[in-house]
């Protein structure tokens, strides 16, 4: 269940935090002038920050010579790209067919309640971002969620919340 | 005596179930005691319902253990590896005696999955030991003509395994006939169908088979460059593909003058998809490779004439390519001996949902749906009643129980209103609401529509609104007819496969489960007790302990009762949010 991740305008008074863009230059050098480079440029930038900062768009556009509207068009087309900062841990709850049939909704509802955020939002402490995604490809373990590179299967609302609690405990120590 | 081998299934789902921990534990034990056995990683063994899986191969035969954790791993090393005593409690498959899991394996014929779960996917030597890269080497050595290669593929009857079902050989022929200095081969590994994971398993378990298949295609059509378009959601598949590509380059199987044939140049790279279902459509996929928004375009010109960067391009799916080396090496007859008249060979299916034994199965075309679900899959979980099976993902349809004897081949499945698709088979029991399921798929396609065609963009949205209304108990007379009318127009006015097939889940559920739609609309009831807004919540006095949790959590104060006394729900106040049902620890809330 893809969600709208795009907030076209930065709300008034809410300045995006300044990111250090020096590493973006290396990515631009790597892909500059190559055909079909828009997606790798954006993917590389997102790998650095977890999202694509506004200034990075402008920098890529100016230095790689790609119109800003083209960059923005591609970034908003694909589900992968984010235009807002994300939490330290991204919790991806699978809503593929197999997971839906095995009640993935209960997992999402329990996590929303435990984290106090809605789908697509980040907790105020910046630890977790909750996302619904289409299939993660682990259908035989449905319902499934992925945190970082770890996949957890055969979940219930309760067990999913326990996993979150464990991560929270680790973060505190 | 040959050394004992221990194989651990380390595909994504095995790792999710804890296989990496098992592997590390065994590796630690091996190191600590300098044990003389060979510990290997392998890909998907296919029996996902028993993950994590460990196979021990000793001088007496092969022993497969299921549901292994770290403690059980220690036991297996101690007893089986050290003392040669198999641990019978955990055994699920063995050469020595039959188990119930044998039913899962009998009847399967592995062609595309021939090496999955057998070899170490990160070792080119193991792939070669199983006949790998022999097919392409043979073509080069015997200087087989391009026409003959294509003719072999046509004769084998191989059809596109990604969903289209178009003859692979014919596709190659078109690309071969286009004259151009540079041509492209693309492997479509953008497996977007929710509920399908066979491509991921092939890439994680046997990446070299895909590379060899692509190289053979390049030989046949005269391509010089290849692209594997793989979902970014499959990090392990990408990692193993990269390893495989490097190994193949090192051996001279990719690059310039492949296998010593001067002028046979072919290399490839991986392109990570960025998360768009529509990019499984070939023209959208090519737009995405070119770095643009992945929107389909009109055909003709077909990719075989003008594809990637306007050059002739041949696109096939992962499973299709994995079949190719087998066909070339063993001849067309080794493949077309399986299957039906028009659908040859075998097909991999991902069995998921409410099935007892879920996993990856490869069966000859023409096996009935019932045999796959009941013989291989062991029927439905928890002895519930089998209701329907969804084939082909969001583009496919639901096939009801009474059509379960339909043989699985391209034409028979299409006749039911579903499609073969990439092979996702989601099994549903009596607790699945078909209207809710149709709404789920529409929700998916509506979000994934690229927005180019008006009816696909807006029509799917309207259909979703109607279905949501029906699920929430606000369905109106005429809604079913309106859905059918919209479906008709969306199918007829959409450019690509996404729009043309998006209404299929709705049309098939209306066709086979019209009574469920009518129950929702006319009686405001959900027969499967799934749509929360249509349920009546009551407390079963015998089960209620009076813990007051439900009353505390009820946002409209509809629940009353004394502590330690059975509670009651005031139906006039209840807003049917379902919180009490989810909160009750004693299953004291009944849904009707």
């Amino acid at each position: 269940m893809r969600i709208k991740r795009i907030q076209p305008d930065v709300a008034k008074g809410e300045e995006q935090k300044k990111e250090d863009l020096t590493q973006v230059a290396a990515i631009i050098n790597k892909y500059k002038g190559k055909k079909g480079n828009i997606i790798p440029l954006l993917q590389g930038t997102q790998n650095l920050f977890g999202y694509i900062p506004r200034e990075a768009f402008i920098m890529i556009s100016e230095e790689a010579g790609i119109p800003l509207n083209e960059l923005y068009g591609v970034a908003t087309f694909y589900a992968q790209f984010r235009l807002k900062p994300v939490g330290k841990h991204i919790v991806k709850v699978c809503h593929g067919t197999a997971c839906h049939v095995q009640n993935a909704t209960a997992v999402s509802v329990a996590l929303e309640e435990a984290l106090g955020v809605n789908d697509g939002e980040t907790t105020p402490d910046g630890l977790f971002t909750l996302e619904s995604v289409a299939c993660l490809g682990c259908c035989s373990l449905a319902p499934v969620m992925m945190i970082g590179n770890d996949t957890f299967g055969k979940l219930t609302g309760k067990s999913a919340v326990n996993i979150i609690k464990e991560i929270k405990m680790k973060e505190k120590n | 005596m040959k050394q004992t081998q221990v194989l651990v299934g380390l595909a994504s789902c095995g790792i999710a179930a804890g296989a990496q921990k098992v592997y590390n534990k065994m590796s630690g034990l091996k190191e600590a005691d300098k044990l003389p056995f060979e510990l290997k990683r392998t890909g998907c063994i296919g029996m996902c319902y028993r993950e994590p899986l460990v196979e021990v191969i000793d001088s007496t035969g092969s022993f497969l253990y299921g549901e292994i954790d770290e403690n059980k791993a220690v036991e297996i090393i101690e007893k089986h590896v050290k003392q040669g005593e198999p641990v019978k409690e955990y055994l699920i498959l063995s050469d020595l005696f039959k188990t119930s899991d044998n039913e899962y394996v009998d009847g399967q014929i592995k062609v595309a999955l021939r090496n999955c779960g057998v070899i170490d996917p990160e070792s080119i030597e193991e792939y070669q030991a199983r006949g790998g890269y022999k097919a392409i080497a043979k073509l080069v050595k015997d200087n087989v003509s391009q026409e003959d290669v294509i003719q072999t593929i046509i004769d084998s009857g191989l059809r596109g395994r990604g969903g289209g079902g178009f003859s692979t050989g014919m596709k190659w022929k078109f690309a071969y006939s286009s004259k151009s200095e540079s041509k492209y081969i693309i492997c479509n590994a953008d497996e977007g169908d929710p509920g399908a994971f066979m491509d991921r398993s092939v890439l994680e378990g046997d990446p070299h088979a895909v590379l060899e298949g692509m190289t053979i295609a390049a030989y046949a059509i005269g391509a010089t460059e290849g692209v594997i378009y793989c979902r970014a959601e499959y990090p392990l598949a990408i990692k193993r593909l990269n390893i495989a590509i490097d190994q193949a380059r090192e051996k001279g199987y990719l690059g310039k003058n492949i296998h010593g044939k001067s002028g046979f140049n072919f290399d490839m790279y991986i392109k990570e998809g960025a998360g768009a279902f529509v990019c499984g459509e070939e023209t959208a996929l090519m737009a995405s490779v070119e770095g643009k928004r992945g929107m389909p375009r009109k055909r003709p010109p077909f990719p075989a004439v003008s594809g990637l960067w306007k050059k002739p391009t041949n696109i096939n799916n992962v499973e299709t390519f994995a079949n190719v080396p087998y066909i070339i090496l063993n001849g067309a007859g080794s493949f077309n001996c399986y299957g039906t008249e028009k659908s040859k060979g075998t097909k991999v299916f991902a069995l998921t949902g409410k099935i007892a034994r879920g996993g990856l199965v490869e069966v000859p075309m023409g096996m009935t749906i019932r045999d796959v679900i009941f013989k291989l899959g062991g029927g439905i979980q928890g002895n519930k009643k089998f209701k329907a099976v969804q084939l082909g993902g969001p583009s496919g349809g639901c096939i009801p129980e009474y059509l379960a004897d339909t043989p699985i081949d391209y034409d028979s499945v299409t006749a039911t209103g579903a499609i073969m698709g990439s092979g996702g088979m989601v099994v549903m029991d009596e607790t699945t609401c078909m209207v809710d399921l149709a709404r789920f798929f529409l929700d998916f396609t509506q979000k994934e529509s690229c927005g180019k065609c008006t009816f696909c963009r807006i029509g799917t949205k309207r259909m979703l609104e109607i279905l949501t209304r029906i699920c929430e108990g606000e369905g109106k007379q005429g809604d079913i007819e309106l859905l059918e009318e919209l479906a008709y127009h969306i199918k007829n006015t959409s450019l690509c496969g996404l729009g043309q097939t998006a209404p299929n889940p709705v049309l098939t559920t209306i066709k086979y489960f019209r009574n469920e739609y009518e129950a929702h609309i006319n009686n405001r009831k959900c027969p499967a007790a799934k749509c929360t807004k249509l349920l009546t919540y009551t407390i079963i006095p015998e089960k209620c302990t009076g813990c007051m949790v439900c009353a505390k959590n009820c946002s409209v104060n509809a629940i009353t009762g004394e502590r330690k006394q059975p509670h009651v729900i005031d139906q006039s106040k209840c807003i049917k949010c379902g919180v009490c049902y989810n909160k009750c620890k004693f299953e004291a809330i009944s849904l009707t």
Side-chain angles (χ1 to χ4, degrees), chain B residues 477-499:
Chain B
Q477 293 301 325
D479 271 352
I480 298 177
E481 291 71 22
L482 191 54
L483 282 173
E484 285 173 329
E485 191 193 339
L486 280 166
Y488 173 80
H489 289 300
I490 294 170
K491 278 171 96 80
N492 283 324
T493 56
S494 296
L495 195 57
C496 83
L498 189 147

Side-chain angles (χ1 to χ4, degrees), chain A residues 1-3 35-40 43 73-74 76-81 95-98 100-103 113 134-141 146 149 151-154, chain B residues 13 16 48 184 194-195 197 200 231-232 271-276 278-279 288-295 309 352-354 381 426 436 440-441 443-444 447-448 450 583:
Chain A
M1 250 169 261
R2 279 169 58 185
I3 34 146
K35 55 184 185 178
N37 60 1
I38 296 183
I39 293 175
Q43 281 172 333
V74 171
T76 52
F77 185 84
Y78 295 99
Q80 186 189 19
F81 298 118
H95 282 265
T97 320
H100 178 78
V101 172
Q102 301 280 32
N103 210 0
E113 193 181 318
C135 197
L136 292 171
C138 294
C139 311
S140 48
L141 299 172
M146 201 170 176
N149 280 330
T151 313
F152 303 89
K154 297 192 175 162
Chain B
C13 39
C48 307
Y184 292 96
F197 55 93
R200 174 179 65 73
R231 289 182 82 192
K271 174 87 195 170
E272 277 184 48
V278 70
C279 288
S288 183
V289 174
E290 291 175 3
K292 298 183 223 155
R293 290 164 68 100
M295 290 161 96
W309 310 114
T352 58
K354 309 262 182 175
Q381 285 173 355
V426 186
D436 175 67
F440 166 79
F441 280 119
D443 184 53
F444 180 83
K447 281 173 181 154
E448 295 293 345
C450 80
K583 288 283 172 190

Side-chain angles (χ1 to χ4, degrees), chain B residues 445-476:
Chain B
T445 37
Q446 179 262 323
K447 281 173 181 154
E448 295 293 345
S449 169
C450 80
K452 187 167 183 165
C453 308
T454 315
F455 266 90
C456 177
R457 182 180 70 241
I458 302 172
T460 52
K461 176 95 181 154
R462 294 290 94 86
M463 283 179 82
L464 175 64
E465 284 168 1
I466 297 169
L467 287 164
T468 307
R469 202 167 69 206
I470 296 175
C471 286
E472 290 181 350
E474 283 159 29
K476 290 187 264 193

Side-chain angles (χ1 to χ4, degrees), chain B residues 45-102:
Chain B
I45 299 174
M47 302 169 84
C48 307
Y49 62 101
R50 292 284 205 185
E51 295 278 13
L53 295 160
V54 173
E55 189 178 9
V56 180
I57 304 171
D58 62 16
S59 51
T60 57
S62 144
F63 302 84
L64 186 65
Y65 294 101
E67 291 158 39
I68 298 304
D69 57 21
E70 288 171 277
N71 296 335
K72 291 178 183 174
V74 176
E75 215 175 312
I76 290 169
I77 297 282
E78 286 298 325
K79 289 192 182 154
H80 193 160
V81 177
K82 279 191 183 169
Q83 298 163 21
E85 284 280 320
V87 192
K88 284 210 171 126
E89 304 96 277
Y90 315 141
L91 260 187
I92 54 170
L93 268 187
S94 147
D95 294 344
L96 301 180
F97 50 86
K98 289 249 170 203
T99 64
S100 65
D101 294 87
N102 268 89

Side-chain angles (χ1 to χ4, degrees), chain B residues 5 64 91 156 168 210 269 301 373 398 409 486 504 577:
Chain B
Q5 285 187 332
L64 186 65
L91 260 187
S156 75
T168 305
V210 179
Y269 67 96
I373 292 173
C398 283
D409 61 60
L486 280 166
N504 283 353
C577 64

Side-chain angles (χ1 to χ4, degrees), chain B residues 411-426:
Chain B
D411 309 288
S412 308
V413 172
T414 307
T416 65
I419 61 161
M420 181 80 101
S422 57
M425 239 189 211
V426 186

Side-chain angles (χ1 to χ4, degrees), chain B residues 178-191:
Chain B
S178 297
K179 296 284 165 253
S180 173
E181 271 176 24
S182 53
K183 294 181 189 176
Y184 292 96
I185 295 284
I186 297 179
C187 173
N188 185 348
D190 191 43
E191 187 172 52

